[in-house]
Amino acid sequence: MPSPVPYVVSASAPGKIILFGEHAVVYGHPALAVPVTQVQATVTVSSGSHPGVWIEAPDVGLSAELSSLQSDQPLAAAVHILLSDLGIYSTPPLHIQVTSSIPLAAGLGSGAAVSVAIIRALSIYLARTLPDSRISALAYQVEKLHHGIPSGIDNTVVTYARPVFFVKGQSLQTFHPKTPFTLVIADTGIPAFTKESVNAVHRLWQTDPARWEQVFNEIGGIARLARAEIEHGTWKVLGYLMDRNHALLQQMNVSSTDLDHLVTVARDAGALGAKLSGGGRGGNMISLVDSRQAAAVAQALQSAGAVRTITTTVE
Ligand code: PMV
């Protein structure tokens, strides 16, 4: 008799990049983000050979039973938050394998993607498949443990894996480019700690709320205009909007010498516009390019010290 086929469930979530509106989004203004499918987090759940829930994440050197981990450890937190939401207090022996090609602390949504993939795979394994809205809401709870006051943009874009026009607290709005456009993303290699930059911007805001509200307002306007341009397929003005958004982020002290350098290099190599992306002070920058220029811009960024470039088409 053939042995029974073991029950195994896998789920993946992509990385993400913010196009416009980071930081201002925390204060209620819109932001645009898109999935980056070249990098993914994948979670596989299968029946375990020992009692309990065993989590293995070789990329971060983790191999441990759930109850031995701190409850706010990011992977453990995603499991706890899901089980508690489902009202499940004991599980059969489980093995949860987490792998990810999304760089950590780089503004590419690694934490949110891992949470989403865990919640999605485990809920399916437990025969309690959840809608995306619920998966995103649960991943947001994990984000809150680590980022303090996240806007929710990361969990939203990686759950739905579509371009998103995001306004904190509002229901999902996706958008569709009329004409695909190409981005070259480059990593400074310097870890970006979003919580720190969000807190620094908050302190800045407290020094002069009226002034910074005006800046956030302008960034929100850029995000709205950018969405309209993308939907109308007139993406060439997006380059100017990226440049202006970057200048406003510089005013907010969330850029850095390395980010500014890569932004300048991209523009000099023919990009139509460039800006830092995400929390800033490290992590990634993005540049908008004519697809025929993508290889040259990527090459220039690597020569200028970028530790990694990703070329992606938004469609
Ligand atoms: O660093 P990232 O890509 O996770 O993005 C942070 C975006 C912020 O607007 C700075 C914070 C947030 O919660 O939206």
Side-chain angles (χ1 to χ4, degrees), residues 77-96:
V79 175
H80 286 305
I81 285 170
L82 172 68
L83 293 178
S84 137
D85 185 70
L86 296 176
I88 293 176
Y89 301 103
S90 74
T91 63
L94 291 177
H95 182 259
I96 301 177

Side-chain angles (χ1 to χ4, degrees), residues 46-67:
S46 55
S47 78
S49 42
H50 305 289
V53 177
W54 202 264
I55 304 181
E56 266 185 66
D59 303 319
V60 290
L62 178 81
S63 177
E65 207 283 310
L66 181 63
S67 57

Side-chain angles (χ1 to χ4, degrees), residues 76-131:
V79 175
H80 286 305
I81 285 170
L82 172 68
L83 293 178
S84 137
D85 185 70
L86 296 176
I88 293 176
Y89 301 103
S90 74
T91 63
L94 291 177
H95 182 259
I96 301 177
Q97 173 89 18
V98 181
T99 55
S100 175
S101 56
I102 308 174
L104 295 169
L108 285 169
S110 146
V114 166
S115 298
V116 165
I118 289 178
I119 293 165
R120 189 173 274 148
L122 187 53
S123 60
I124 297 171
Y125 186 91
L126 296 168
R128 302 284 293 274
T129 303
L130 298 174

Side-chain angles (χ1 to χ4, degrees), residues 16-18 20-27 31 105-112 140 143 147-155 166 168 192-195 197-198 201 249 252 254 276-280 282-284:
K16 72 99 209 354
I17 199 87
I18 296 179
F20 295 95
E22 50 276 270
H23 287 291
V25 68
V26 173
Y27 298 79
L108 285 169
S110 146
Y140 181 62
E143 293 280 285
H147 297 308
I149 46 162
S151 61
I153 191 168
D154 280 21
N155 49 283
F166 181 85
K168 192 175 174 178
F193 298 107
T194 303
K195 189 174 180 173
S197 64
V198 168
V201 170
L249 289 162
M252 289 156 62
V254 292
L276 72 86
S277 176
N284 278 280

Side-chain angles (χ1 to χ4, degrees), residues 24-49:
V25 68
V26 173
Y27 298 79
H29 298 277
L32 266 57
V34 296
V36 178
T37 51
Q38 284 88 346
V39 285
Q40 298 270 338
T42 300
V43 170
T44 302
V45 182
S46 55
S47 78
S49 42

